[in-house]
C-alpha cells in the first residue's frame, strides 16, 4: 500500500491543476482497475466496481501527509520585506499542525456519527490513507510577524488526496481528489488573516471532507 500511495501522491502533486481544468479528459478506468464515479461530492472519485462500505463499522485514520504548493516558500519570501520571515521551522510547524488538525476533525466527525476510530486492523475496519497537497496559505502567521497585520480575501486553499483500503486484505476500494478554496463570505472584502483565522478556515474545509466520508459510510448502511 505504501508504494501505491507514494506513486499516486507524486502524480497528484504534478497533475492536480490540470486535472481540475480538464476533468472531462480523465480516464474512465485507472491502471489499478478503479472506475470513475460521476456526479460525486468530490471533484474526482474512482472506486472499485461493486465495492461496498457496508461491512465497515470502524475506521482507522493514518497520519495525513502534507505538501505545500510548488515554490510556496519562495513566493512567500519574495512577497515579504523580511526575507527570513518563512523558515523551514515554520514550514514544518504548519505541516504538523494541519496534519494533527486533520486527525482531530475527522476523528470527531466520525465518532459523532457513530463510527469508532481505532488504531488496529480488523475485518470491520476501513483504512483511510490521506494527504493534503498543494497547500497554499496566503498569509502564514509566524512568531516574527510582530504587530503587523495582513489582510486577504481568502486564507488560501488545499487539495485532499485520499485512498480507502480494506484494512485486512489491503485491497484499494476507492481514491479521490478534491480541491477547496477558503472563501467564507464570497464578498471579496479583505479581512485580517492570522493563525486563528487560518485555523478556522482549515477546519471548515476539513469538516466538509470528513462529512463527505461520513455520508458515504451512512449511505452504505442504508
Amino acid at each position: 500500500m505504501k508504494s501505491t500511495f507514494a506513486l499516486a501522491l507524486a502524480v497528484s502533486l504534478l497533475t492536480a491543476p490540470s486535472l481540475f481544468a480538464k476533468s472531462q479528459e480523465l480516464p474512465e478506468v485507472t491502471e489499478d482497475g478503479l472506475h470513475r464515479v460521476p456526479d460525486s461530492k468530490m471533484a474526482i472519485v474512482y472506486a472499485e466496481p461493486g465495492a461496498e462500505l457496508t461491512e465497515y463499522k470502524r475506521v482507522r485514520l493514518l497520519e495525513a501527509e502534507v505538501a505545500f504548493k510548488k515554490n510556496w516558500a519562495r513566493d512567500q519570501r519574495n512577497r515579504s520585506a523580511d526575507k527570513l520571515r518563512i523558515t523551514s521551522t515554520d514550514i514544518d510547524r504548519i505541516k504538523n499542525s494541519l496534519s494533527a488538525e486533520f486527525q482531530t476533525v475527522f476523528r470527531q466527525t466520525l465518532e459523532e456519527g457513530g463510527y469508532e476510530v481505532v488504531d488496529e486492523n480488523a475485518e470491520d475496519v476501513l483504512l483511510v490513507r490521506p494527504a493534503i497537497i498543494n497547500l497554499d496559505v496566503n498569509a502564514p502567521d509566524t512568531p516574527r510577524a510582530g504587530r503587523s497585520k495582513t489582510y486577504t480575501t481568502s486564507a488560501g486553499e488545499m487539495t485532499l488526496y485520499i485512498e480507502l483500503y480494506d484494512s485486512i486484505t489491503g485491497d484499494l476500494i476507492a481514491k479521490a481528489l478534491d480541491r477547496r478554496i477558503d472563501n467564507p463570505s464570497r464578498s471579496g472584502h479583505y479581512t485580517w488573516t492570522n493563525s486563528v483565522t487560518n485555523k478556522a478556515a482549515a477546519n471548515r474545509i476539513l469538516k466538509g471532507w470528513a462529512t463527505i466520508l461520513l455520508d458515504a459510510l451512512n449511505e452504505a448502511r442504508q
Side-chain angles (χ1 to χ4, degrees):
M1 287 187 293
K2 185 175 181 180
S3 60
T4 302
F5 176 75
L7 176 61
L9 176 58
V11 170
S12 298
L13 281 166
L14 293 173
T15 65
S18 61
L19 288 180
F20 291 113
K22 302 179 180 179
S23 60
Q24 70 274 15
E25 299 178 8
L26 292 171
E28 291 301 313
V29 182
T30 65
E31 292 184 357
D32 44 19
L34 301 185
H35 289 234
R36 189 178 175 192
V37 180
D39 302 322
S40 58
K41 295 179 180 179
M42 301 182 80
I44 302 169
V45 177
Y46 285 92
E48 180 185 1
E52 294 286 348
L53 298 178
T54 312
E55 61 188 276
Y56 302 109
K57 306 298 187 295
R58 298 181 293 166
V59 176
R60 181 182 177 190
L61 287 174
L62 298 186
E63 181 179 353
E65 296 189 38
V66 178
F68 276 96
K69 181 179 179 180
K70 184 179 179 180
N71 296 326
W72 176 84
R74 182 200 65 186
D75 293 342
Q76 287 292 324
R77 294 188 182 108
N78 288 341
R79 288 187 210 141
S80 174
D82 179 3
K83 299 302 181 183
L84 298 179
R85 184 179 180 187
I86 296 296
T87 67
S88 58
T89 300
D90 295 325
I91 292 173
D92 289 341
R93 175 179 53 80
I94 295 172
K95 284 182 177 181
N96 293 335
S97 177
L98 183 56
S99 181
E101 201 64 24
F102 181 98
Q103 281 283 336
T104 298
V105 172
F106 268 67
R107 175 182 290 272
Q108 180 178 359
T109 302
L110 291 169
E111 288 182 342
E112 289 178 352
Y115 294 88
E116 182 183 1
V117 178
V118 298
D119 296 324
E120 71 278 352
N121 297 332
E123 291 184 357
D124 66 339
V125 172
L126 178 70
L127 180 65
V128 177
R129 187 185 291 272
I132 301 295
I133 62 176
N134 290 331
L135 175 63
D136 187 5
V137 183
N138 287 334
D141 201 2
T142 68
R144 292 165 305 287
R147 297 183 179 180
S148 63
K149 292 186 177 182
T150 303
Y151 293 86
T152 65
T153 57
S154 168
E157 67 172 83
M158 55 184 168
T159 297
L160 173 67
Y161 177 76
I162 192 168
E163 292 180 343
L164 306 182
Y165 290 90
D166 182 283
S167 65
I168 294 297
T169 66
D171 292 338
L172 178 60
I173 300 170
K175 59 184 177 182
L177 190 71
D178 194 55
R179 175 191 180 198
R180 295 291 169 97
I181 301 174
D182 172 62
N183 191 5
S185 64
R186 300 185 182 276
S187 63
H189 295 160
Y190 285 84
T191 58
W192 180 22
T193 306
N194 53 45
S195 59
V196 175
T197 57
N198 283 340
K199 181 178 180 179
N203 281 352
R204 282 193 295 269
I205 296 174
L206 294 174
K207 179 67 175 179
W209 284 329
T211 300
I212 290 174
L213 176 58
L214 176 61
D215 289 345
L217 291 169
N218 287 337
E219 287 172 8
R221 277 186 175 182
Q222 297 170 3

